[in-house]
Amino acid sequence: MKRRKLTFWLIVAAVLVLDRITKELAPGIPAGGIMLIPGVIGLRYAENTGIAFSLLSGVPRLTGVLGLAVVAGGYVWLRTKDIAPFPTVALALMAGGALGNMADRLIRGFVPDMIETLFMNFPVFNIADSCLTVGCVLMMISLLCRPKDWAKL
């Protein structure tokens, strides 16, 4: 259990560091953007004052406080639980992504986004968003394919 908690915090820290680095570099992206893989993915700087898909735009501090409450509540509930390795990774990715975006909402009043899909019309997103999404997918896989991991909770 101790090793899983260390793994959890190392993943959270890695997500936060990578997210912070990319968000600090994002304002330097040229106005026309940068094509990384033609027709597939590029970089374009955007500022999002809302949550997913710009929902609740214009109230970033409120969404930041709500995010803080969810992360804190999850931490308090889960800190004494013995969670299996697969869900531990999923939760760590989700926590790191949530904390990264929450910090930006509270400090900056917006979340910097920079990753743009060119093959479909999709909002610009960031590393924290990606980690949240991957964490959610892993969590769904865990819940559907490994329900015994959740029996003790």
Side-chain angles (χ1 to χ4, degrees):
M1 185 161 135
K2 197 172 196 175
R3 185 174 175 168
R4 266 185 248 146
K5 287 187 179 187
L6 176 62
T7 301
F8 175 88
W9 289 113
L10 287 174
I11 293 170
V12 169
V15 169
L16 288 171
V17 167
L18 185 59
D19 183 55
R20 182 63 34 223
I21 290 169
T22 57
K23 286 176 178 174
E24 291 301 321
L25 295 173
I29 297 171
I34 298 171
M35 182 131 6
L36 296 177
I37 302 172
V40 178
I41 196 162
L43 298 176
R44 180 171 58 91
Y45 181 69
E47 295 177 356
N48 184 356
T49 60
I51 57 172
F53 305 105
S54 296
L55 296 170
L56 298 175
S57 289
V59 287
R61 302 248 179 336
L62 172 64
T63 56
V65 169
L66 290 174
L68 179 60
V70 169
V71 170
Y75 173 75
V76 168
W77 183 67
L78 290 169
R79 73 177 178 203
T80 60
K81 308 291 184 200
D82 185 20
I83 300 171
F86 193 76
T88 296
V89 172
L91 288 167
L93 289 170
M94 292 165 57
L99 288 169
N101 282 343
M102 179 202 61
D104 287 311
R105 287 187 187 101
L106 293 173
I107 295 166
R108 299 177 188 208
F110 64 89
V111 175
D113 290 327
M114 74 290 301
I115 304 169
E116 179 179 32
T117 56
L118 303 173
F119 60 93
M120 62 189 238
N121 187 13
F122 194 78
V124 180
F125 57 97
N126 60 44
I127 298 296
D129 298 334
S130 300
C131 290
L132 273 164
T133 302
V134 170
C136 286
V137 169
L138 292 176
M139 185 64 66
M140 286 188 287
I141 291 169
S142 173
L143 288 167
L144 293 172
C145 300
R146 299 184 53 92
K148 65 180 167 72
D149 288 348
W150 298 94
K152 294 182 258 179
L153 300 180

